[in-house]
Amino acid sequence: MKSLRFFGLWLSLCCAVCLGQTSDKPNVLFIAIDDLNDWVGPLQGHPQVKTPNMDRLAERGVTFTNAHCQSPLCNPSRTSLLTGKRPSTTGIYGLAPWLRNVPELKTSVTLPQHFANNGYRTYSTGKIFHGGYGRRKTDTEFHELGPAAGVGAKPEKKLVGFTPGGNHGLMDWGTFPHKDEEKGDYKVASWAVDKLASKPVEPFFLSVGFFLPHVPCYATQKWFDWYPIESLELPPILLNDRQDTPRFSWYIHWDLPEPRLSWMLDVDQLKPLVQAYLASISFIDAQVGRLLDALEASGKADNTLIVLWSDHGYHLGEKEISGKNTLWDRSTNVPLIFAGPGVSQGKCHSPAELLDIYPTLIDLCGLSPLSGLEGHSLTPQLGNVDHPRKWPAITTHNHDNHGVRSKDWRYIRYADGTEELYDMAKDPNEWHNLADDPAYDNIKKEHARWLPKTSAPPAPGSKHRILVYHNGIATWQEREILPNAPIPGIEWKKE
């Protein structure tokens, strides 16, 4: 009997130790939102946007107001964040390839894999990696997968009719009779809500990726009612804004399905797009609210870190375009919010990068160190939002085109050596390019020293939105851009 009692006591102590070790590590709720610029309440990018749930998340954590993506395109941005390496290191600049198809990246330890290697159970639903990447039967990025990302209910035909640039099916926006419950993002949130209610194995890493406000921007009528078009405010737009930007600034988004401003003005679609984008944001905010409520109801909120981020921003007429694919703030500035154990409250205005998420979570969750990460932990700023930070944010779009964003300046250098410089304190809309003014040469030099020292060529299998500049020749999607070629989409009626 004594031996049995001793064995029982020993077993109880072992269980207590194990439980103690588990409870030392916080859970992680990792929320990704596609194509979301700074039009959220915590960043005040649009004066009329309503995001009450992101607002309440921000109130209990730290918001990085000057956070930037490493690429203004889905696949390279997400690959960078989830591998901890810059696009200029990986060579992934387009919507393909999948990182596991690149020999040099095949054995990369992605963020969810590193959590798994440290005893976490990893769950994922929606869009975390780009498209279907990471969701094949042979992929090992997560332990358990929920529904993939998707639009959900669609109208019988495009609501806005023909769009230039190929009349792409995704280039659409508006409302039609359907229910929130029929939308892909609602189903993604529902799976995550159910997972939280089921008391998942702890510690857990639960990643939830939302598709909207990526086009097509479809939302139900109630969300459009939040933004009456009669009183809708448009973003600040300067007509002919590109007169002082290099021609090469067009090359990095040369021929795309996203409509240019000229078309939107001609067919009166700018306001409808802005309305649909805002409505989509508020619908997604409601899904974020469902996740936050489910986490509270699970009893795990006090031991769960929440990270909310977007892969890149989106233009809605600014710089004469819609879409992403630029090195200006509208494409690069994204929401980045941390909340939970070890995180203070407030707003940090120092530059931050999505690349910083990986090392930050290693620190906050007590994971084993990992060499080769190119970001820098944000834990000092999570403890004190005014803690100084010496690094700027660097964004790369296609080979050898880089933007450097410090606290007060944006510097851009394109592959042909042409430049842009903006005083973001005085010119937040980036309307006045100062790069040719010798008075600012020292500021350009200070920022140029942060440009990546290496710039990998496009990885094998690169395609979809790939620009290459070699020996003075620019090639878009394997077709040479002639020096006097008209800019696609600007003279859209002639296409």
Side-chain angles (χ1 to χ4, degrees), residues 300-322:
K300 307 299 181 184
D302 290 342
N303 192 42
T304 299
L305 279 164
I306 303 173
V307 187
L308 184 146
W309 56 277
S310 168
D311 55 355
H312 48 71
Y314 205 82
H315 289 253
L316 293 103
E318 308 95 332
K319 294 294 182 183
E320 303 184 39
I321 63 169
S322 68

Side-chain angles (χ1 to χ4, degrees), residues 222-381:
K222 72 175 183 178
W223 303 110
F224 277 77
D225 290 344
W226 282 27
Y227 304 100
I229 202 161
E230 300 80 13
S231 56
L232 192 67
E233 293 188 33
L234 292 175
I237 294 173
L238 178 66
L239 297 178
N240 301 314
D241 191 10
R242 305 291 284 270
Q243 289 185 345
D244 67 347
T245 68
R247 177 175 167 85
F248 209 94
S249 71
W250 286 105
Y251 289 2
I252 64 174
H253 50 258
W254 181 246
D255 191 3
L256 293 173
E258 289 92 334
R260 312 297 199 186
L261 174 63
S262 57
W263 176 84
M264 292 188 289
L265 292 177
D266 283 348
V267 300
D268 199 24
Q269 280 295 328
L270 180 56
K271 265 197 172 184
L273 174 58
V274 170
Q275 182 190 36
Y277 189 77
L278 288 167
S280 298
I281 290 171
S282 290
F283 165 73
I284 288 300
D285 179 76
Q287 308 319 302
V288 172
R290 294 176 65 209
L291 296 179
L292 299 181
D293 291 344
L295 182 62
E296 288 289 343
S298 73
K300 307 299 181 184
D302 290 342
N303 192 42
T304 299
L305 279 164
I306 303 173
V307 187
L308 184 146
W309 56 277
S310 168
D311 55 355
H312 48 71
Y314 205 82
H315 289 253
L316 293 103
E318 308 95 332
K319 294 294 182 183
E320 303 184 39
I321 63 169
S322 68
K324 48 256 188 179
N325 304 284
T326 81
L327 295 172
W328 298 301
D329 256 34
R330 179 54 68 231
S331 266
T332 70
N333 189 203
V334 294
L336 177 58
I337 303 172
F338 285 80
V343 180
S344 62
Q345 291 82 40
K347 290 186 177 183
C348 178
H349 304 298
S350 297
E353 302 181 293
L354 294 182
L355 198 64
D356 301 329
I357 293 176
Y358 201 149
T360 302
L361 287 177
I362 286 178
D363 283 353
L364 291 175
C365 298
L367 309 185
S368 58
L370 191 66
S371 63
L373 300 181
E374 296 181 317
H376 305 278
S377 178
L378 298 167
T379 49
Q381 289 72 36

Side-chain angles (χ1 to χ4, degrees), residues 408-476:
D408 294 323
W409 296 89
R410 169 171 292 285
Y411 172 70
I412 297 172
R413 182 187 291 175
Y414 296 102
D416 69 343
T418 53
E419 300 171 306
E420 297 178 46
L421 180 71
Y422 299 97
D423 183 341
M424 302 303 293
K426 298 178 180 178
D427 180 26
N429 297 309
E430 298 166 306
W431 285 346
H432 306 291
N433 180 13
L434 304 172
D436 291 337
D437 189 335
Y440 299 97
D441 284 353
N442 287 337
I443 293 175
K444 289 196 300 181
K445 289 178 182 178
E446 167 61 24
H447 286 72
R449 73 185 183 92
W450 294 102
L451 294 171
K453 299 298 185 288
T454 60
S455 188
S462 291
K463 56 184 178 179
H464 307 310
R465 308 192 178 208
I466 293 294
L467 172 75
V468 176
Y469 185 73
H470 183 65
N471 290 335
I473 298 174
T475 304
W476 173 262

Side-chain angles (χ1 to χ4, degrees), residues 59-119:
E59 286 172 0
R60 51 175 292 223
V62 170
T63 299
F64 290 87
T65 63
N66 198 8
H68 298 267
C69 63
Q70 272 46 78
S71 173
L73 188 61
C74 302
N75 186 40
S77 175
R78 292 166 185 262
T79 299
S80 174
L81 189 161
L82 294 163
T83 63
K85 298 181 184 297
R86 298 188 182 280
S88 53
T89 299
T90 65
I92 293 182
Y93 302 113
L95 297 178
W98 163 229
L99 73 95
R100 300 299 179 197
N101 293 337
V102 179
E104 294 81 2
L105 304 176
K106 197 173 186 67
T107 59
S108 297
V109 179
T110 60
L111 178 62
Q113 286 181 330
H114 195 51
F115 270 94
N117 293 341
N118 281 266

Side-chain angles (χ1 to χ4, degrees), residues 7-17:
F7 176 76
L9 178 61
W10 174 83
L11 184 62
S12 298
L13 287 171
C14 286
C15 290
V17 170

